[in-house]
Amino acid sequence: MAGTLLAPPSGVPLERLVQMAVERGYTAQGEMFSVADMGKLAQEALGCEAEQLCGGLGGPSRARVLQHLVSGHPLLIPYDEDFNHEPCQRKGYKAHWAVSTGVLLGVRAVPSLGYSEDPELPGLYHPVPSTPRQPPALPEEGSPGAVYLLSKQGKSWHYQLWDYNQVRDSNLQLTDFSPSRAADGRAYVVPAGGVRAGLCGQALLLRPRDSSH
């Protein structure tokens, strides 16, 4: 999904991605419990830059993530998936990957340059494509309900808006391998240090090779 959002879009089929991951020893069944391995796979298969983010999505990382999305680049986030695909907190037992492709910001004022109001939803503004624009002011970290990530999990039919803090909190508690997976008799590739070392508080910023930081 992230490959189709990069410019130029990557036409690598999913089967080839899985095959490469198996050949490199990153996965056995299609699982990916290492953000570092996912980054290496993305760089090799999609020909993009992959920056590994550590220490959680809050604090200093928050502005980096939001700036990355405002610039139009995809973000890959491991998180615990609830029944409706939204983030939850299950200690990593329901760990899945989501791709975030955009952000909805609650702002006090819309920058004067480069935005147009949605014809059907008053108060919702979109960047006007290929025109210069002022970047929006990023809401303070403590302000509730001000930042939503436009995100999609692989099995979901639709993009959803997820509260940034819920995504941050779900990502930050990925610590344990699911007991039901451990007992299902199948082989999985789990990095040294387990789920905590491989996924917890980490994400991937993907951007085209030639794009400036």
Side-chain angles (χ1 to χ4, degrees), residues 32-194:
M32 287 295 276
F33 285 108
S34 164
V35 172
D37 286 350
M38 185 70 103
K40 286 187 278 189
L41 180 66
Q43 284 178 313
E44 183 182 1
L46 305 179
C48 65
E49 285 186 22
E51 179 188 342
Q52 185 177 348
L53 206 64
C54 299
L57 299 176
S61 295
R62 182 174 176 272
R64 251 193 107 30
V65 167
L66 296 180
Q67 208 51 62
H68 181 81
L69 290 166
V70 166
S71 301
H73 303 311
L75 169 76
L76 285 177
I77 313 171
Y79 76 110
D80 265 340
E81 180 195 20
D82 213 341
F83 298 108
N84 58 0
H85 306 298
E86 291 182 7
C88 65
Q89 298 188 37
R90 299 287 299 279
K91 298 189 203 164
Y93 291 4
K94 296 289 179 186
H96 282 77
W97 286 86
V99 61
S100 289
T101 64
V103 63
L104 180 68
L105 301 171
V107 293
R108 296 192 188 283
V110 178
S112 54
L113 190 66
Y115 298 85
S116 64
E117 192 167 13
D118 188 281
E120 294 174 14
L121 288 170
L124 177 65
Y125 287 80
H126 306 277
V128 178
S130 62
T131 55
R133 59 179 174 266
Q134 282 174 276
L138 301 178
E140 292 291 316
E141 182 154 18
S143 42
V147 179
Y148 291 85
L149 297 180
L150 185 67
S151 305
K152 190 172 188 288
Q153 199 275 329
K155 296 191 295 291
S156 169
W157 290 100
H158 306 289
Y159 278 94
Q160 297 174 315
L161 284 170
W162 295 346
D163 181 275
Y164 190 94
N165 293 346
Q166 288 183 346
V167 180
R168 176 200 66 198
D169 295 347
S170 181
N171 171 264
L172 209 48
Q173 53 86 63
L174 301 174
T175 55
D176 297 343
F177 188 70
S178 161
S180 59
R181 272 187 180 155
D184 69 9
R186 302 168 80 185
Y188 294 99
V189 177
V190 181

